[in-house]
Amino acid sequence: MTIDNPFSKREFLKKAGVVTAGAAAGTLAAPYVKAQSPIRWRLQTYAGPALSEHVVKNSIDWFNEAADGEMVIELYTADQLVPQGELFRAVQAGTIDAAQSDDDSAAAPVDVKVFGAYFPFASRYSLDVPALWHWYGLKEIWEEAYAEIDGVTWLSTGSWDPCNFGTTKPIRSVADLKGLRVYTFPTGGQFMAQFGVVPVSLPYEDVAPAIQTGELDGVCWCGITEMHTVGWADVVKYFLTNPISGAWAGSYFVNTEKWNALPPHLQRLYRMAIDSSHYYRLHWYWAGEAKYRNEGKLELTSIPEPEWRTVEEAAAKFWEEIASQSPRSAKVVEILKKYNSAMEKAGPPYRYA
């Protein structure tokens, strides 16, 4: 069929144009609707509510804002969903989607877990941790170790505060350590037990009450910044300036299936949030360690350096014991030796005599 009438052709085209324009206008005017609900994750940290504000919550808030509705991470604090000792298994089982913790107290089933948290005298300063992981090969070793574990992907390790004693009794000699009941990490406690320290494990929220009732004599868990932040400075009286390690090494873990299901841009965004958390802690802890020593709420005590050196020498023997547990552990110990030797050779400000 043909349309011979020119007028009819013009009317037809005119009407068709109006309909098309109207349809386009209707399409442009329609509100934007997301195709699906946001991805939701549950992340549990090792930290209690007050500490989590600084060690993870700020970066998760930034992530949620930057994700712009595509993804939301719900944050849970220490023991809120699962006990700390079951944290790794919970990520593996998919009970929670992600975790922030050290390998040691989360009971990660890898040989390198002993180097998480506070491996005795492995570091002197907070910057030692990222230097070891990014420039001395620990990152690749951690990737290798966790690649052998089904269901969990290790993403990153960063540094926290040093590890000092905060106690109700003064410590001015190695002998004063004998019989002290302290809340501490598995490997750190294992090392300090040879000096008479009694490691105690209990839920995070029970630490302060246990010190008040005399069940605990204190903590060997953190630096002075954390003691003030979480309220432990209100229940202990003394702070030993000799650290058993210069920085806590903490990691981020995710459920592998959930991680692989994320689009690449959200994976990158999450890694950036982790890095922002690492950076914030570096300056927050560093500034706080000096600030709270100077404020004088806790009385500072010290073990003389010649006597403290005996503890450092014991750490060297402890390193050899750990190295004998697996070839990979031996490799980590060799890296720690190499790194510390390089720092000592470099001299101040890397190491002081």
Side-chain angles (χ1 to χ4, degrees), residues 29-93:
Y32 172 72
V33 179
K34 291 188 182 294
Q36 60 185 16
S37 299
I39 299 166
R40 289 191 175 275
W41 273 14
R42 299 195 301 174
L43 182 153
Q44 183 171 307
T45 176
Y46 76 98
L51 185 63
S52 71
E53 292 284 333
H54 291 282
V55 301
V56 64
K57 184 180 182 300
N58 46 15
S59 64
I60 296 303
D61 289 344
W62 299 331
F63 175 90
N64 287 339
E65 182 179 354
D68 195 27
E70 287 188 73
M71 182 171 175
V72 175
I73 299 176
E74 300 168 357
L75 177 65
Y76 296 86
T77 54
D79 304 311
Q80 195 171 0
L81 296 179
V82 297
Q84 173 65 16
E86 299 174 14
L87 191 56
F88 190 92
R89 296 295 187 185
V91 175
Q92 192 172 36

Side-chain angles (χ1 to χ4, degrees), residues 2-11:
T2 59
I3 302 176
D4 298 322
N5 188 330
F7 181 80
S8 298
K9 288 181 180 179
R10 285 195 299 272
E11 288 297 313

Side-chain angles (χ1 to χ4, degrees), residues 132-183:
L132 279 162
W133 258 261
H134 291 286
W135 299 102
Y136 276 75
L138 293 195
K139 174 178 177 288
E140 288 74 20
I141 291 175
W142 257 243
E143 288 172 340
E144 174 190 272
Y146 283 99
E148 298 171 1
I149 305 301
D150 291 335
V152 177
T153 298
W154 169 86
L155 292 181
S156 182
T157 292
S159 65
W160 272 250
D161 50 339
C163 186
N164 299 75
F165 282 85
T167 55
T168 57
K169 305 172 183 179
I171 302 172
R172 296 188 174 93
S173 71
V174 172
D176 291 334
L177 296 171
K178 190 173 183 179
L180 283 179
R181 295 162 298 176
V182 299
Y183 177 63

